[in-house]
Every structure is written in structure tokens, then in C-alpha cells.
Amino acid sequence: MKPSIVLYKKLPADLRQRLDQHFNVIEFNGMNSTTRPQILDALQQAEGLIGSNGKVDKELLDHAPRLRGVSTISVGFDNFDVEELTRRGIPLMHTPTVLTDTVADTMMTLVLATARRAVESAERVKAGEWNGSIGADWFGVDVHHKTMGILGMGRIGLALAKRAHLGFDMPILYTARRQHAEAENSFNARRCDLDTLLAESDFLCISLPHTDETFHMISREQLAKMKSSAILVNAGRGPVVDEEALIEALQTGVIHAAGLDVFEQEPLPKDSPLLKLPNVVALPHIGSATHETRYGMAACAVDNLIAALTGNVKEFCVNPEVLKK
Ligand SMILES: NC(=O)C1=CN([C@@H]2O[C@H](COP(=O)(O)OP(=O)(O)OC[C@H]3O[C@@H](n4cnc5c(N)ncnc54)[C@H](OP(=O)(O)O)[C@@H]3O)[C@@H](O)[C@H]2O)C=CC1
Ligand SMILES: O=CC(=O)O
């Protein structure tokens, strides 16, 4: 008999068929307050779990006595209790690499859109405000040759450094726990401490995961150290930036603008002050959201689950220590 798995994300038909070849698939339309109790019931029998955007915590794992592998259709895994999974010997698989270039493209989009006020200007055109030669009240600021500061020089940070340095002649600064030789050798990136990054960056670009260490790494005190002309771009995770402090900084001119793909609460609440600020470009967490990349991520996640449940994991495991047991 094929092992049972729980799927909580709609997959392209061919990938769903690939899962069906290996497993008895119990499918749910997302993990939310309605489906979660049903998912907990189904997990009594399930040996695998695959999806994205749902909390995989101790409560869920307590309902999953037979679980042997978990696969997330994302690179970030802050919604998983990795410690608990590891304690139970369950591999957590994720999808790095396949999305790196697309997310870096999104970050560059945010850099350009905020600096050149592209969204705001387009909205003004649609509102019929383009009635003659535009004046300085429509102008943006240059991107090329400005200093880009990268916080989170991982795969995505490196791909962003490549775009900024080779495409836009931007000097690159970065803050990291360790030295990143490829960024330094290929894109002339210079490592510095956080205070220097804040003080010298024209664009502060965040591609950090959400961890206990990175939570509110950018708060009121850090924002005050930035240039008043600086633009903050966050496509890592919302909680890395103290959103209340950011709103205040944007309202009072402590910094110039922000381009945001991620938020402390998602979807962004409809009454968020961010939505009223003309100097904010807010995207609905679309970092990896192209047809090609989302397909690639789903395919990678399906392969990852098959590998985890057949004992063939070679890469993309968040907690590889469980494989040695
Ligand atoms: N907006 C979106 O749609 C998307 C968002 N993401 C987010 O981007 C994140 C990064 O992805 P990716 O680049 O592939 O991941 P990587 O693991 O390659 O990069 C993360 C980097 O963050 C660094 N880092 C972690 N903690 C700290 C810290 N306390 N101080 C300084 N640096 C730190 C790591 O440093 P070190 O090298 O020292 O370990 C690492 O270089 C994901 O975790 C996810 O949250 C990802 C995809 C899409
Ligand atoms: O935010 C998206 C991810 O893949 O992580």
C-alpha cells in the first residue's frame, strides 16, 4: 500500500500526478482555521506533509504520530518548529536556489520603483493628473552609482549584489555574521558592521530570514542611524523590521521611502498606515511569484518529499542531522 500524505496547497496537474504515483494523497485547500482541524485528523495516518503557508508546530506534530517527512514549497521555514521536527527525527525539506534570481529581481524592482516613484506616478497618470510637462514634484532619485547596503548576504543577497553592481554600477556594502568571499571577489562588496551599513547605505536591502536573532533587527534606533535620503527595501521577512517604528520613520522623514514585499502581518491589514503613505511601495509577498519559479519550487518540493520518504535525501534538507540517525 502507498504511504498517505497530506497536501495543503494546490499543485499543477502533472506534479499532483507525480505525487499520486508515489502516495495516497489527502488534499486540502490551504491551511487555515477551517481546514486545520481536518488536516490534524488526516495527519493521524499521514507519513508525509507538503504545502506552504501554515504553522507546523508542536500541536500539529502531536497529531502526526506516523510523520516521516515534511516538505515546504518555500525557502523560508520560520513557520516550522524545526527543533521539534528534529527532536522527532523528521526531515524538513525546502526549496532554495530555484527562486533566488526571481526574488533578487523583485528586490531590484522595489529599489527602482521606490526611487523613481514608478507606482505613484503611474497612479497619477491614471487619475488624469498628467496635464503638461511634469515638474519637480514628480521627480525621483537616481539608483545607479548609489550605495547599496545588503543585510542578509545569502543566496538572494548575492544575486541582488550582482544585479546592483554589474547592472547599476552600485558600490555594495554588506553586514553578515561571516565573510562572503564570492560577494567580495565578484562584486567588490565590502563587509561592515550594522551601524556603518545604516549610516552609508542609500538603499538598505534586507534579505534576512526571521529568527530570534533577526526579530526587529531594524527598529527605531537603527532607522535613526540611516540617511534621511535612504530607501529601505525588505523582501526577507516582515518581523525583521519593527513596522511601527518604520511607519513613524516614513511619516516623519527619518528615511525617504520604503519598498516592502513582506510585513509583520500578512495579508497586510486594510487599515495599515503603510497603505496611506505615498513614499511606500507595498507588494503582496510576490518575491518568487512568477509562473516559472513557482512551478520550479513546487516541483522541487514534490521531489524533496519523495526523497525524504524513500530515504534518498541528497540536498535541500533544513535539519540534515536527522538523516544520520
Ligand atoms: N519575499 C519573498 O517572497 C521571499 C523571501 N525570502 C526570504 O529570504 C530569506 C533568505 O533567503 P536565502 O537568501 O535563500 O537564504 P540564505 O540562507 O542563503 O541567506 C540568508 C542569509 O541571512 C544571513 N543571516 C541569518 N541570520 C543573520 C544574522 N543574525 N545576522 C546577519 N546575517 C544573518 C545568513 O548569514 P550567514 O551567511 O552568516 O549564515 C545568510 O547569509 C529567506 O529565509 C526568506 O525569509 C525568500 C524567498 C522569497
Ligand atoms: O517567502 C517565500 C519563501 O520562499 O520563503
Side-chain angles (χ1 to χ4, degrees):
M1 215 169 73
K2 291 191 273 191
S4 288
I5 64 157
V6 166
L7 165 69
Y8 58 100
K9 173 98 177 171
K10 186 118 195 93
L11 292 180
D14 60 324
L15 297 179
R16 173 59 206 262
Q17 270 169 22
R18 183 158 161 70
L19 278 182
D20 286 332
Q21 280 161 13
H22 290 262
F23 310 117
N24 168 34
V25 181
I26 312 163
E27 182 172 345
F28 296 91
N29 186 13
M31 193 191 293
N32 51 45
S33 53
T34 312
T35 58
R36 188 170 162 104
Q38 299 156 10
I39 289 175
L40 296 187
D41 272 354
L43 279 170
Q44 287 296 336
Q45 300 307 321
E47 295 178 47
L49 176 67
I50 177 169
S52 71
N53 294 333
K55 259 216 157 343
V56 176
D57 52 13
K58 184 166 181 309
E59 188 214 15
L60 181 144
L61 294 173
D62 282 344
H63 284 78
R66 304 184 62 191
L67 200 62
R68 294 191 290 115
V70 175
S71 179
T72 179
I73 311 171
S74 65
V75 64
F77 47 84
D78 43 295
N79 49 336
F80 290 81
D81 187 336
V82 179
E83 207 178 304
E84 196 56 36
L85 282 162
T86 305
R87 200 178 65 71
R88 295 168 193 237
I90 301 170
L92 170 61
M93 311 297 293
H94 69 150
T95 65
T97 315
V98 61
L99 49 58
T100 299
D101 282 316
T102 301
V103 183
D105 288 351
T106 304
M107 294 190 80
M108 210 60 220
T109 303
L110 282 170
V111 166
L112 291 162
T114 45
R116 300 300 304 274
R117 300 171 63 192
V119 176
E120 192 189 344
S121 298
E123 279 169 357
R124 289 179 72 179
V125 172
K126 282 188 181 163
E129 289 178 39
W130 187 25
N131 297 318
S133 182
I134 61 156
D137 63 320
W138 289 65
F139 294 174
V141 293
D142 278 335
V143 171
H144 61 84
H145 294 95
K146 297 279 181 67
T147 298
M148 176 176 282
I150 298 181
L151 188 49
M153 186 53 91
R155 290 171 289 254
I156 295 168
L158 185 70
L160 177 65
K162 179 180 184 181
R163 283 153 178 73
H165 184 66
L166 300 182
F168 293 84
D169 290 315
M170 299 173 85
I172 310 292
L173 294 176
Y174 73 99
T175 298
R177 296 177 296 192
R178 59 189 177 86
Q179 195 176 359
H180 289 266
E182 193 179 347
E184 297 189 6
N185 298 336
S186 304
F187 313 122
N188 206 21
R190 180 165 65 85
R191 187 175 173 204
C192 62
D193 60 24
L194 183 58
D195 279 357
T196 308
L197 191 82
L198 296 168
E200 293 188 15
S201 298
D202 296 305
F203 295 88
L204 177 68
C205 294
I206 302 168
S207 51
L208 280 175
H210 173 204
T211 64
D212 290 347
E213 244 181 90
T214 64
F215 175 75
H216 283 192
M217 190 179 261
I218 301 299
S219 191
R220 195 162 280 109
E221 188 190 332
Q222 289 71 35
L223 291 161
K225 291 177 179 166
M226 293 172 68
K227 296 180 187 182
S228 57
S229 57
I231 292 176
L232 181 147
V233 167
N234 187 11
R237 282 290 183 266
V240 174
V241 177
D242 177 346
E243 208 161 277
E244 205 182 303
L246 176 66
I247 291 166
E248 194 183 296
L250 289 162
Q251 284 169 335
T252 56
V254 170
I255 65 168
H256 178 60
L260 307 169
D261 188 43
V262 289
F263 302 88
E264 290 214 63
Q265 192 188 324
E266 295 180 10
L268 187 60
K270 292 189 178 27
D271 60 354
S272 168
L274 287 170
L275 296 173
K276 296 218 159 49
L277 292 173
N279 52 345
V280 169
V281 174
L283 299 179
H285 203 141
I286 59 160
S288 62
T290 65
H291 289 292
E292 300 91 328
T293 294
R294 284 290 171 88
Y295 181 88
M297 290 165 68
C300 177
V302 165
D303 288 345
N304 282 344
L305 187 65
I306 294 167
L309 295 188
T310 54
N312 284 312
V313 173
K314 293 191 176 57
E315 55 187 350
F316 306 147
C317 186
V318 171
N319 53 350
E321 59 272 35
V322 302
L323 304 172
K324 293 177 197 124
K325 284 180 186 165

